[in-house]
Amino acid sequence: MDLKDAIEFHGHLCPGLVIGYRIGTYAAEQFKDRSEDEELVVVVENKSCSVDAIQVINGCTFGKGNLVFKDLGKHVYTFFKRGDRNALRISVNPRKRSNDEKYNELFPKVRNGTATAEELEEFRKRHAENAYAILDIPDEDLFTVTNVETEPPEKAMVYRSIACAECGEEAMETRLRVKEGKIVCLSCFEGHDI
């Protein structure tokens, strides 16, 4: 798998995706393989674009249970092999933000949807340039790698799905609750939809 595969999966090129690509390829070199099942596990501490690259490069996914998400908002990724308490914790080093005044001016416009078509095109060009520049940053400048010992999460368990008595949608049996004597999903139990 390469950057092209990550871009195709993610839908566009951006600095976050390239950071994930760099971290993923570094981990792949250390562990010498891509996870076919659950043998390689990663704990990610954010839900950024970088996680998409890691899924593609390392084969770690929510569906296989070898992508574990901790919502800490940090660019930290801990990789380990099942059955081994030794892990690699990779944290992205603080970066100097772009000194490109035009890029910095366009970023909020693009984010809030007020950029013109020309501004959007200019932003995309500069955004891609920033992403490609990350490919040239030496590993030791881009991230810090620490060997850590950790208790790995248990293997993913497969449970049957059961229809909710209120909405009729199936939910994993471990996520069902009893409400007024009926088996219901969490959304119906808590009285809200997503």
Side-chain angles (χ1 to χ4, degrees), residues 140-151:
E140 61 274 8
D141 292 340
L142 184 60
F143 48 77
T144 298
V145 179
T146 310
N147 290 306
V148 296
E149 194 170 297
T150 185
E151 191 63 43

Side-chain angles (χ1 to χ4, degrees), residues 91-152:
S91 62
V92 176
N93 294 331
R95 292 181 291 139
K96 293 180 183 172
R97 297 298 171 194
S98 174
N99 290 329
D100 180 343
E101 288 183 28
K102 185 66 175 177
Y103 176 83
N104 293 334
E105 172 191 317
L106 292 172
F107 195 88
K109 289 182 175 184
V110 170
R111 175 159 283 182
N112 68 25
T114 61
T116 65
E118 294 81 22
E119 289 173 326
L120 187 57
E121 185 60 33
E122 179 67 19
F123 174 80
R124 287 182 178 147
K125 176 183 165 272
R126 291 170 186 259
H127 204 53
E129 290 169 358
N130 288 340
Y132 283 123
I134 293 169
L135 291 172
D136 295 328
I137 299 172
D139 288 347
E140 61 274 8
D141 292 340
L142 184 60
F143 48 77
T144 298
V145 179
T146 310
N147 290 306
V148 296
E149 194 170 297
T150 185
E151 191 63 43

Side-chain angles (χ1 to χ4, degrees), residues 6 37 55 65 69 81-82 84 107 113 121 133 141 156 169 176 185:
D37 191 22
Q55 289 181 86
F69 171 59
K81 291 282 215 166
R82 288 265 184 222
D84 189 348
F107 195 88
E121 185 60 33
D141 292 340
E169 295 175 348
L176 297 170
C185 67

Side-chain angles (χ1 to χ4, degrees), residues 14-35:
C14 64
L17 186 72
V18 176
I19 288 170
Y21 169 76
R22 292 285 308 278
I23 289 167
T25 54
Y26 180 86
E29 290 168 9
Q30 305 309 305
F31 290 101
K32 306 295 184 218
D33 62 5
R34 183 175 188 277
S35 189

Side-chain angles (χ1 to χ4, degrees), residues 39-71:
E39 51 285 323
L40 181 64
V41 179
V42 64
V43 177
V44 300
E45 297 184 17
N46 68 77
K47 57 181 178 179
S48 70
C49 303
S50 59
V51 178
D52 281 355
I54 288 168
Q55 289 181 86
V56 171
I57 301 303
N58 305 103
C60 298
T61 67
F62 284 116
K64 290 191 291 191
N66 62 340
L67 174 62
V68 178
F69 171 59
K70 290 185 176 183
D71 193 5

